[in-house]
Amino acid sequence: MDVKKAELFSIIENEKNIAVVFVHGLDGHPFNTWKKDDLSKCLPELLGLDTALKGFDFYTYGYKTGLTMPQYDFPEIAELLYADIQAQLPDRNIVFVAHSMGGLVVQQYIINLYEKFDSENLKKVKGAIYLSVPFQGAGLASALPRIIINRQIRSLRKANPLIGKLEENWYKYFFRGGIEALPDSLKHKIPQIAFHGAQDRIVSKVSASPLHLDAKIYNVDQNHRSICKVDEQSTVFKHIKSFLISIAEPIEADAMILHIHGYEKQEYPLQPDVELDWTSFFDISTSPRVLPQLDTWTEEIIPQLQFATTTWSQDWVKKGGRVRIYSKLCLPGGLLVGNRFSRTKGAIIEVEHYKQIWSSEKADTDFKAISKRIPGNNSESGRAVLALSVTNNIQAAVKQHIDKINADYRMMINILPPTGPGQESIQNNEQAVAYAKDVKDIADNLKRQGIEEFYLFLNCPFSVAVFVGHHLTALSPIQVFDYAVPGYTLSCKL
């Protein structure tokens, strides 16, 4: 397969939050660089099939390269790599494995994040593995005639200013005391290992393992090509495997892992610290659905959730207060879980969202929800109705239900994303958090106007429901309604 444009290829999808991205070098290939022959599995696949590395997804990056044609130099490839990672892996932690010029691409990728003050994506880089990378240039590239116009070859010459600038910046941002001079948001130590091939006649040992790299160095009995074409028995494979395992352990330990089985019992990527099974309370195959009633929430579900919050308070608050939630559960359940791990308690919530991990840490300040106010049937009532119309506009259905149960209310507030309801109306976790904050602000304002009780209806992704619950604290009682297909039914109370 010829690579006609830069592209990120999926090799092994274990549906994890850590992606290992392989980056080939000059005249390389996203697949062939990493395998011995056409019958062999490539290195990303061999690692991905190892049972000890099920905590990772594996990708390989390809870009146009060759010895004769003009091509992008490594700084430009780093920019292409950034764009493709943001498009395909925007919320993943990243570990790079790079061969030859690919290592310069990776270093430039990291330096660019420092220079753009992009602390969020910088801190997603959890490690880097370098295989025969010419950090101080390649002797062969320097020996070729200067008339050669191939930009990739020219960028690998020892005297090329791009190489010198990259080394200068690595000293500035990364090596030894450099990182201590940075603002706290950019202080990020990236574990690294580097390999040099004892038989390598293209990249010298000094160039492949310079002092400023500040990495653990391994000298292995390989040449420049064979060092990335290894099998499970090789020294290179074993060191890479050990390094990845060491990277995974602290990442997985950052948060209390909470599994809540609602609609059905499922397996999730990480083993739980707390596991709650609520499947006996649900049956969504019927019409109307079998859903927990208010007394079930109060007498059975909430006490179980209290066990989870107590465990978090005792064991995880001192570790930073993170909780990661995996669940297939009704939206009121998401509200309740987010509410019990509230922002006011110092919790940081991470929740699985369609194979991504969304975090409650940061809000998009440019994202503003739209609130539409509809007069109620009693201007003196102390009740307000909140309709969260994220995926679909539920205003008419909610009003129909309120009229049906003959409830009095002063007003209804229909809260929509700025682009209107839709499957893509909230595109990332920062927008989800911003929407949740706006719901909280609207409810606070209504409370100041004398509202003493809320009825809450919602149509949104589960993750958004969790974030809304996470923010809805210190309010009047909130009675939540669930969609029973058809109609609505009483659910939990916040």
Side-chain angles (χ1 to χ4, degrees), residues 105-382:
V105 172
V106 168
Q107 272 205 337
Q108 189 66 59
Y109 176 101
I110 294 169
I111 291 299
N112 289 347
L113 296 177
Y114 278 113
E115 298 205 315
K116 291 187 291 187
F117 293 91
D118 189 351
S119 60
E120 181 179 3
N121 284 299
L122 175 65
K123 291 180 179 180
K124 289 175 184 174
V125 181
K126 300 300 183 182
I129 301 168
Y130 305 109
L131 302 166
S132 287
V133 173
F135 293 108
Q136 297 183 334
L140 181 59
S142 302
L144 291 172
R146 292 194 174 273
I147 195 173
I148 289 177
I149 63 172
N150 186 295
R151 293 173 66 191
Q152 291 179 358
I153 294 176
R154 291 170 66 179
S155 71
L156 298 178
R157 297 184 192 277
K158 293 180 179 179
N160 190 286
L162 293 176
I163 291 278
K165 185 65 175 177
L166 187 62
E167 181 174 337
E168 177 186 332
N169 280 328
W170 202 255
Y171 269 102
K172 177 180 178 181
Y173 293 110
F174 198 87
F175 181 55
R176 292 190 174 174
I179 197 169
E180 294 305 319
L182 297 172
D184 289 342
S185 62
L186 291 179
K187 290 181 180 178
H188 178 52
K189 187 69 172 176
I190 301 173
Q192 303 175 108
I193 58 173
F195 295 85
H196 170 254
Q199 302 177 39
D200 196 330
R201 299 296 178 263
I202 295 175
V203 177
S204 69
K205 183 176 182 180
V206 171
S207 185
S209 56
L211 180 62
H212 76 270
L213 182 60
D214 201 21
K216 176 74 174 179
I217 308 297
Y218 296 105
N219 196 36
V220 293
D221 195 15
Q222 304 284 348
N223 61 38
H224 193 71
R225 287 177 53 82
S226 68
I227 199 167
C228 53
K229 302 176 184 293
V230 297
D231 58 28
E232 302 96 315
Q233 304 305 314
S234 75
T235 298
V236 172
F237 182 96
K238 292 175 180 177
H239 279 304
I240 292 176
K241 176 180 174 179
S242 297
F243 180 81
L244 291 177
I245 290 173
S246 71
I247 291 295
E249 290 173 350
I251 293 175
E252 293 182 6
D254 281 345
M256 184 185 88
I257 306 302
L258 173 61
H259 291 187
I260 302 177
H261 305 291
Y263 293 148
E264 58 186 12
K265 196 165 186 176
Q266 293 193 359
E267 292 294 325
Y268 294 108
L270 301 178
Q271 290 301 306
D273 297 294
V274 178
E275 187 171 17
L276 304 177
D277 186 354
W278 298 343
T279 53
S280 63
F281 305 129
F282 294 89
D283 187 349
I284 60 172
S285 64
T286 63
S287 182
R289 295 176 173 181
V290 175
L291 299 167
Q293 298 300 305
L294 182 57
D295 59 347
T296 303
W297 286 103
T298 303
E299 297 170 11
E300 299 190 57
I301 292 178
I302 289 177
Q304 292 185 34
L305 187 56
Q306 182 63 44
F307 171 78
T309 57
T310 299
T311 302
W312 171 80
S313 297
Q314 292 176 346
D315 299 337
W316 294 90
V317 169
K318 58 181 177 288
K319 299 178 183 179
R322 291 180 181 271
V323 56
R324 181 176 299 175
I325 301 160
Y326 294 91
S327 184
K328 293 290 183 282
L329 184 61
C330 63
L331 297 180
L335 277 170
L336 181 64
V337 173
N339 186 257
R340 294 309 169 106
F341 291 99
S342 69
R343 185 173 57 93
T344 55
K345 292 180 180 178
I348 299 171
I349 290 182
E350 299 173 347
V351 59
E352 185 185 44
H353 176 91
Y354 301 114
K355 300 180 182 179
Q356 298 178 356
I357 301 299
W358 281 17
S359 169
S360 66
E361 287 182 277
K362 188 176 179 182
D364 184 344
T365 56
D366 295 326
F367 185 96
K368 300 297 181 185
I370 298 171
S371 60
K372 294 188 176 180
R373 182 173 295 209
I374 301 96
N377 55 21
N378 183 354
S379 61
E380 302 300 321
S381 174

